[in-house]
Amino acid sequence: SDSGSDSEDSSLSDSELQEAFARGALKPGLNVVLEERPKRRNDTDGLKQCLAEFRQQLTWVERLDVTLGPVADPVSQSASTSDAVDPENDFQREMSFYRQAQAAVLEALPRLRKLQVPTRRPDDYFAEMAKSDQQMQKIRQKLKSKQEAMERSEKAKQLRAMRKYGKKVQVEILQKRQKEKKNMLNAVKKYQKGLSDKLDFLDEEQTSSQGNKKGNASQRTKKGPNAKRRYKNQKFGFGGKKKGSKWNTKESFNDVSSFQSKVAHNKGPGKGGRGGKGGKKALNKRPGKRARQKMKNRAH
């Protein structure tokens, strides 16, 4: 059977496999013949011959080739060789490239000046742009629109932050007022129930609510009136306080020594009672309307 032949093939030795391969009994694709790799050779003469074939005998100005080692390190005062540079160290590798390029520039610039080749761009040099003015204008407009969008976004962020901060301050003020109101209501309830006999919380409430106003007023009063007000006070005098000057006090309210009942009720001498000549009618000396009308008609 096929399975038996496969098992027999798998158990064959190397010599038997070689004989089977020579007879062509093995199926293609199962074994791959490895070819021997060619040996590498450093053919220096061949390389020089190829170089001589494609080399062109041109002057140095046309070639501008400089082959030099790296310039001396200013710290160690020595030129680092290629063996001393660690290729895995990025900093050392890049610095070696930089110093080698620097050495080439120091060698090439004097030779160019000696050959009178300009190495600096003239002041009136005009280089044509790689892109057209229309394309650059589009780029400028796009950059400007992006910048404006960023500014608008930044302003919106600032406004949101300011609103958030203002809302936070407002909430804190409301909470503080509610707390003060709650404390005052609790103090009032304690006073009503007789648990406390002090009304200091009223004074504290007034001082806390008017603290800023009093502070500002004290700052203003310390400075005193201005020059115009002082001149008018000196010229016309200062009459003192007018508002509330006729208010009663506790002492004047309780003082009844100057009270006269006859004068208060129109019962004094010469004034009479209700039936006398000096009643309320006597006080009204103005004639009535009909009498005034008659007097007016007589005058006409």
Side-chain angles (χ1 to χ4, degrees):
S1 63
D2 295 338
S3 60
S5 63
D6 293 340
S7 62
E8 289 177 0
D9 293 340
S10 60
S11 62
L12 296 175
S13 62
D14 294 339
S15 60
E16 292 174 347
L17 286 173
Q18 290 176 359
E19 292 176 359
F21 179 72
R23 292 194 309 268
L26 296 178
K27 296 179 181 179
L30 295 177
N31 298 278
V32 178
V33 180
L34 296 176
E35 296 180 359
E36 196 174 327
R37 293 183 180 180
K39 294 181 180 180
R40 297 180 180 178
R41 294 183 301 171
N42 187 13
D43 191 0
T44 309
D45 297 334
L47 291 175
K48 289 181 178 180
Q49 184 180 356
C50 292
L51 180 62
E53 289 177 358
F54 65 78
R55 172 181 278 178
Q56 296 180 358
Q57 299 296 330
L58 300 175
T59 59
W60 181 81
V61 180
E62 299 293 336
R63 293 182 286 110
L64 293 178
D65 55 343
V66 178
T67 304
L68 291 171
V71 75
D73 190 0
V75 178
S76 61
Q77 296 296 330
S78 63
S80 61
T81 60
S82 59
D83 298 335
V85 177
D86 185 8
E88 299 297 331
N89 191 337
D90 296 340
F91 180 75
Q92 289 184 4
R93 188 175 65 250
E94 296 299 327
M95 282 303 296
S96 66
F97 293 158
Y98 172 76
R99 286 197 295 270
Q100 190 171 4
Q102 189 177 10
V105 170
L106 294 175
E107 175 68 21
L109 279 179
R111 294 174 67 177
L112 289 172
R113 292 196 187 98
K114 189 175 181 180
L115 296 172
Q116 296 182 356
V117 177
T119 58
R120 290 182 178 273
R121 180 183 297 175
D123 297 335
D124 57 349
Y125 179 78
F126 177 75
E128 186 177 358
M129 299 291 291
K131 295 185 178 180
S132 62
D133 293 341
Q134 296 178 355
Q135 183 70 16
M136 295 304 295
Q137 191 68 21
K138 289 181 181 179
I139 294 172
R140 290 192 193 95
Q141 289 178 359
K142 189 155 188 177
L143 291 174
K144 187 177 180 182
S145 62
K146 283 185 179 180
Q147 187 177 2
E148 290 176 354
M150 290 176 63
E151 290 178 356
R152 285 196 299 269
S153 176
E154 192 67 24
K155 286 182 181 178
K157 287 181 182 178
Q158 291 179 0
L159 286 174
R160 284 195 295 269
M162 289 174 65
R163 288 173 184 169
K164 189 175 181 180
Y165 179 74
K167 191 174 182 181
K168 182 180 178 182
V169 172
Q170 188 176 5
V171 169
E172 290 179 355
I173 291 173
L174 290 175
Q175 289 178 354
K176 185 179 178 182
R177 289 180 181 174
Q178 289 176 359
K179 186 177 180 181
E180 291 177 354
K181 185 178 180 181
K182 185 177 180 180
N183 294 337
M184 186 176 180
L185 289 176
N186 292 334
V188 170
K189 287 180 181 178
K190 287 182 181 179
Y191 181 78
Q192 289 177 349
K193 291 179 181 179
L195 300 176
S196 176
D197 56 349
K198 296 181 181 180
L199 295 175
D200 298 338
F201 58 90
L202 296 176
D203 298 335
E204 292 177 1
E205 183 69 20
Q206 291 178 359
T207 53
S208 61
S209 62
Q210 298 178 0
N212 295 331
K213 294 182 180 179
K214 287 183 179 179
N216 296 333
S218 63
Q219 291 178 359
R220 289 195 297 268
T221 53
K222 283 181 181 178
K223 295 181 180 179
N226 55 10
K228 186 176 180 181
R229 183 72 266 168
R230 289 198 300 270
Y231 173 74
K232 287 189 176 182
N233 291 343
Q234 183 180 2
K235 184 177 180 181
F236 301 105
F238 187 69
K241 186 178 179 181
K242 301 292 191 299
K243 187 176 181 181
S245 60
K246 296 185 179 180
W247 286 358
N248 271 331
T249 59
K250 186 177 181 181
E251 291 78 9
S252 65
F253 178 77
N254 294 329
D255 186 15
V256 294
S257 59
S258 61
F259 178 73
Q260 298 179 3
S261 61
K262 293 182 179 180
V263 176
H265 298 293
N266 292 326
K267 293 182 179 180
K271 293 183 180 180
R274 293 182 180 179
K277 296 180 180 179
K280 291 183 180 180
K281 294 181 180 179
L283 295 175
N284 191 6
K285 297 181 181 180
R286 185 184 180 191
K289 185 174 181 180
R290 290 185 179 180
R292 286 186 274 114
Q293 191 67 30
K294 289 179 180 180
M295 290 171 63
K296 191 174 181 181
N297 291 336
R298 289 176 185 172
H300 288 300

